[in-house]
Amino acid sequence: QNGVSMTFSWQLGAKTQLAASGSINSRESEESGNQDFITGSLTASYQLGSSLGLSLNYDYTEQDPDEGSSGRDYVANIVSLFINYSF
């Protein structure tokens, strides 16, 4: 398996943070042939108070196998909202 990944994070003021990450990987095996994987994520977080915060997250995942291989093509788009409370 070989590939590359990256992660970035930005603090926008005292209560807001943005983060982005992604990767591209290629994997080859005798059983499944060559498959490419692409992932990405964007997150926006906002601190509402000293113990309460919100996070909105978007995740993208793609698998792209070569023609004739046993892998399956798929794409996933996931949006999540998290409420964080610490006590």
Side-chain angles (χ1 to χ4, degrees), residues 2-87:
N2 57 41
V4 63
S5 64
M6 62 87 187
T7 301
F8 295 102
S9 181
W10 299 274
Q11 187 72 39
L12 302 173
K15 296 183 176 189
T16 306
Q17 183 176 8
L18 296 176
S21 64
S23 67
I24 299 173
N25 295 295
S26 182
R27 178 173 57 193
E28 187 174 345
S29 69
E30 287 184 26
E31 296 85 29
S32 60
N34 189 35
Q35 298 184 38
D36 295 326
F37 297 92
I38 300 169
T39 62
S41 177
L42 297 172
T43 302
S45 300
Y46 185 75
Q47 195 67 30
L48 295 169
S50 61
S51 59
L52 184 63
L54 293 175
S55 295
L56 181 63
N57 189 55
Y58 169 72
D59 289 311
Y60 174 84
T61 303
E62 179 180 343
Q63 178 178 315
D64 187 21
D66 284 346
E67 287 292 320
S69 69
S70 64
R72 296 185 177 187
D73 271 341
Y74 74 84
V75 173
N77 293 286
I78 301 171
V79 175
S80 306
L81 176 64
F82 298 99
I83 299 171
N84 307 305
Y85 182 77
S86 58
F87 48 96

